[in-house]
């Protein structure tokens, strides 16, 4: 028997299972169609400054970053705004001692900022498991894949609202809402 879940379901794993299925006629594939956080409202932020400003006003939050440097910078900016704030910063240690990993209980901290040190497996069901909390994501798009970004964001299982900012974004929503605006713009040109 082969049971795959989450990250085990990759292209290579599915090819292996398909290979086995061709050799045997019995094969059962069960897909879990439940999508947690489906229907969660989201807002795109256009700058890191806006993200930090919003974070400074939150009672609880989880903030995912694709860069250790950016996670530290956001933390430091928030601490400048409120030196008494209690914020848990989670980043990889520089000394990299083997076997010296800490388990971080994400739900026991009201405000959490983390780098790619956390991508998989460390989940939270709201602060102290009582309620939903907002999730913020700040990405420079240089170190982790879009799939890993989704994994980071979903470390919070009860998202009240998702706020995200892609720093190096090259595409923006059009300001044109209908064909009349296009015609007017062309005529003006």
């Amino acid at each position: 028997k082969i049971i795959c879940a989450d990250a085990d379901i990759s292209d290579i794993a599915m090819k292996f299972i398909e290979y086995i299925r061709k050799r045997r006629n019995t094969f059962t594939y069960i897909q879990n169609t439940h999508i947690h956080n489906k229907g969660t409202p989201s807002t795109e932020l256009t700058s890191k400054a806006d993200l930090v400003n919003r974070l400074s006003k939150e009672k609880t939050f989880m903030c995912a970053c694709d860069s250790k440097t950016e996670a530290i910078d956001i933390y430091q900016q928030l601490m400048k705004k409120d030196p008494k704030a209690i914020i848990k910063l989670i980043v990889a240690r520089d000394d990299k001692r083997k076997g010296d990993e800490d388990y971080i209980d994400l739900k026991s901290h009201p405000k959490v900022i983390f780098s790619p040190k956390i991508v998989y497996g460390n989940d939270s069901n709201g602060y102290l498991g009582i309620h939903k909390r907002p999730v913020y994501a700040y990405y420079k798009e240089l170190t982790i894949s879009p799939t890993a970004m989704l994994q980071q964001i979903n470390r919070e299982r009860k998202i009240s609202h998702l706020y995200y900012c892609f720093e190096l974004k090259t595409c923006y929503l059009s300001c044109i809402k209908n064909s009349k605006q296009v015609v007017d713009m062309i005529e003006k040109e």
Side-chain angles (χ1 to χ4, degrees):
K1 292 183 179 181
I2 300 172
I3 300 171
C4 300
D6 296 335
D8 295 332
I9 304 172
S10 63
D11 289 343
I12 195 164
M14 294 311 289
K15 284 180 181 177
F16 177 66
I17 290 169
E18 185 63 27
Y19 171 78
I20 292 170
R21 190 177 75 93
K22 286 179 183 174
R23 301 208 176 278
R24 299 177 179 210
N25 290 334
T26 58
F27 181 77
T28 304
Y29 179 77
I30 301 168
Q31 183 175 0
N32 181 357
T33 57
H34 172 74
I35 301 172
H36 70 281
N37 290 321
K38 185 176 182 177
T40 300
S42 65
T43 303
E44 181 174 15
L45 304 176
T46 57
S47 70
K48 184 177 177 182
D50 186 18
L51 181 133
V52 171
N53 187 47
R54 287 174 184 259
L55 283 172
S56 70
K57 296 173 184 171
E58 296 282 6
K59 288 185 168 121
T60 66
F61 65 77
M62 186 175 284
C63 180
C65 300
D66 65 347
S67 159
K68 175 182 177 180
T69 304
E70 294 301 332
I72 292 168
D73 184 58
I74 290 169
Y75 172 80
Q76 289 172 341
Q77 287 186 51
L78 289 170
M79 294 309 290
K80 275 184 189 172
K81 285 179 176 268
D82 181 6
K84 294 181 182 178
I86 300 172
I87 303 169
K88 181 68 175 177
L89 175 65
I90 304 165
V91 294
R93 296 196 336 222
D94 291 329
D95 58 9
K96 296 186 183 182
R97 291 180 286 181
K98 281 193 170 188
D100 201 13
E101 293 295 319
D102 297 328
Y103 168 74
I104 296 113
D105 185 9
L106 295 175
K107 68 182 174 290
S108 66
H109 303 283
K111 299 177 180 184
V112 180
I113 301 170
F114 58 93
S115 70
K117 179 174 174 74
I118 297 178
V119 174
Y120 302 103
N122 198 343
D123 296 339
S124 170
N125 287 311
Y127 172 54
L128 296 178
I130 299 168
H131 56 74
K132 294 181 173 189
R133 68 174 151 184
V135 171
Y136 288 78
Y138 181 75
Y139 295 124
K140 293 192 74 133
E141 304 172 68
L142 299 173
T143 57
I144 62 176
S145 70
T147 304
M149 291 174 190
L150 286 173
Q151 286 290 330
Q152 272 193 320
I153 289 166
N154 282 292
R155 293 311 86 212
E156 177 58 63
R157 297 300 188 178
K158 295 180 180 179
I159 300 174
S160 62
H161 197 108
L162 171 64
Y163 298 91
Y164 59 94
C165 180
F166 290 95
E167 187 64 31
L168 300 176
K169 185 175 178 178
T170 57
C171 299
Y172 295 93
L173 290 175
S174 173
C175 61
I176 298 170
K177 303 290 184 217
N178 55 48
S179 60
K180 184 181 179 328
Q181 286 180 327
V182 173
V183 171
D184 292 346
M185 194 169 82
I186 291 171
E187 285 176 349
K188 214 181 238 184
E189 292 292 319

